[in-house]
């Protein structure tokens, strides 16, 4: 599915950037939007069963966030998903973030109940391969149209559809993927964006600062001395 998803994203984005048109080629992710709406309902049903008030509040807030995203995206799924950042964040929620959601429920009984619900949708949920495919599409688009990582982060790259500002975690996952696939140029670029976003997040960091700095140092191995000097000042 990865190559199909990359092709669909690039085709949709090409039409969007060049002509302001949206090519409906992301049907593989549309079902995930409806699944996310269902997951919000499931999470909401667990709130009253969570004894810890702080944990219950976080689950309730997460359910509300899932609802908000689903309500917004389902107004026009094609336009929403043609934006690569929206597609990226959707895949990220169903891959790297899903375990944290399950852990948040606290008790083994609730975690098992949530896992059972997930099993009903598993064959239609975005996979790690889909997640990586979206990142590949973003990096290709970045090079093809000379779009800076900062334009992706703040959503200014697209006039046809909106995307939320990317968090430090969002940027880090792209940087880490690029690094682990030998692309230190893009890795350093996105890891620096992660650092900049981290500074805007205050005390509520969305990514481990030590891990981020480690990857920044690793990614700097093959770049210019000027970039290395910049990293040493961090």
């Amino acid at each position: 599915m990865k190559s199909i998803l990359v092709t669909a994203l690039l085709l949709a984005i090409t039409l969007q950037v060049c002509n302001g048109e949206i090519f409906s080629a992301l049907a593989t992710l549309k079902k995930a939007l409806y699944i996310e709406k269902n997951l919000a309902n499931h999470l909401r049903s667990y709130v009253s069963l969570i004894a810890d008030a702080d944990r219950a509040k976080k689950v309730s807030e997460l359910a509300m966030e899932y609802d908000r995203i689903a309500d917004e995206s389902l107004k026009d799924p094609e336009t929403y998903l043609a934006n690569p950042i929206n597609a990226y964040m959707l895949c990220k929620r169903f891959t790297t973030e899903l375990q944290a959601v399950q852990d948040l429920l606290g008790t083994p009984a609730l975690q098992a109940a949530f896992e059972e619900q997930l099993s009903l949708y598993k064959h239609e949920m975005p996979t790690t391969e889909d997640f990586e495919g979206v990142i590949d599409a973003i990096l290709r688009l970045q090079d093809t149209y000379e779009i800076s990582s900062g334009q992706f982060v703040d959503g200014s790259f697209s006039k046809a559809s909106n995307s939320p500002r990317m968090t430090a975690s969002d940027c880090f996952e792209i940087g880490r993927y690029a690094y682990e696939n030998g692309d230190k140029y893009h890795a350093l670029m996105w890891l620096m964006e992660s650092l900049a976003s981290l500074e805007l997040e205050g005390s509520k960091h969305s990514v481990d600062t030590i891990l981020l700095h480690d990857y920044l140092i690793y990614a700097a191995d093959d770049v210019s001395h000027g970039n290395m000097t910049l990293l040493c000042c961090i």
Side-chain angles (χ1 to χ4, degrees):
M1 185 184 293
K2 181 175 178 180
S3 61
I4 296 174
L5 187 56
V6 172
T7 301
L9 274 168
L10 288 173
L11 180 55
I13 297 162
T14 299
L15 290 172
Q16 176 179 323
V17 172
C18 295
N19 304 317
E21 300 172 0
I22 300 299
F23 182 76
S24 178
L26 297 173
T28 55
L29 290 180
K30 286 175 65 175
K31 289 182 179 180
L33 299 176
Y34 292 95
I35 294 173
E36 193 161 47
K37 181 73 172 178
N38 291 336
L39 291 183
N41 293 330
H42 292 310
L43 289 173
R44 193 176 294 107
S45 71
Y46 301 147
V47 173
S48 62
L49 304 175
I50 301 175
D52 185 279
D54 184 57
R55 191 181 294 272
K57 180 182 178 182
K58 290 179 179 179
V59 172
S60 178
E61 290 174 346
L62 183 61
M64 290 176 61
E65 178 66 5
Y66 277 13
D67 256 339
R68 183 193 65 78
I69 295 171
D71 289 343
E72 177 186 346
S73 61
L74 290 173
K75 291 177 183 177
D76 188 351
E78 287 79 16
T79 299
Y80 180 84
L81 290 173
N83 185 307
I85 300 305
N86 289 335
Y88 166 77
M89 290 183 175
L90 176 64
C91 288
K92 184 170 179 277
R93 289 193 296 274
F94 275 96
T95 52
T96 65
E97 297 180 359
L98 204 54
Q99 184 59 53
V101 175
Q102 193 166 345
D103 292 343
L104 184 60
L105 295 174
T107 67
L110 289 180
Q111 291 173 346
F114 187 63
E115 186 171 356
E116 183 178 353
Q117 292 298 329
L118 289 177
S119 68
L120 299 177
Y121 309 118
K122 204 164 188 68
H123 64 290
E124 296 178 327
M125 288 165 48
T127 65
T128 298
E129 188 177 37
D130 296 323
F131 180 53
E132 294 174 351
V134 177
I135 296 177
D136 282 334
I138 290 172
L139 297 180
R140 293 185 194 181
L141 178 66
Q142 191 171 2
D143 290 341
T144 301
Y145 293 102
E146 298 183 350
I147 300 173
S148 71
S149 52
Q151 289 175 290
F152 281 116
V153 172
D154 64 18
S156 63
F157 74 97
S158 172
K159 296 180 180 179
S161 62
N162 298 321
S163 58
R165 182 177 181 83
M166 299 177 71
T167 66
S169 173
D170 296 330
C171 299
F172 174 75
E173 290 298 339
I174 295 178
R176 174 161 62 178
Y177 174 79
Y179 173 80
E180 292 179 351
N181 283 273
D183 183 358
K184 293 187 178 181
Y185 169 74
H186 284 112
L188 185 61
M189 188 182 303
W190 280 97
L191 292 169
M192 291 298 291
E193 288 292 348
S194 180
L195 181 66
S197 295
L198 193 69
E199 294 172 351
L200 298 176
E201 293 177 353
S203 60
K204 295 183 177 180
H205 294 164
S206 63
V207 67
D208 184 285
T209 56
I210 295 176
L211 186 62
L212 171 58
H213 282 107
D214 284 347
Y215 268 94
L216 275 166
I217 293 171
Y218 300 153
D221 284 347
D222 293 340
V223 297
S224 69
H225 178 70
N227 279 333
M228 176 61 81
T229 300
L230 177 60
L231 286 173
C232 291
C233 296
I234 294 172

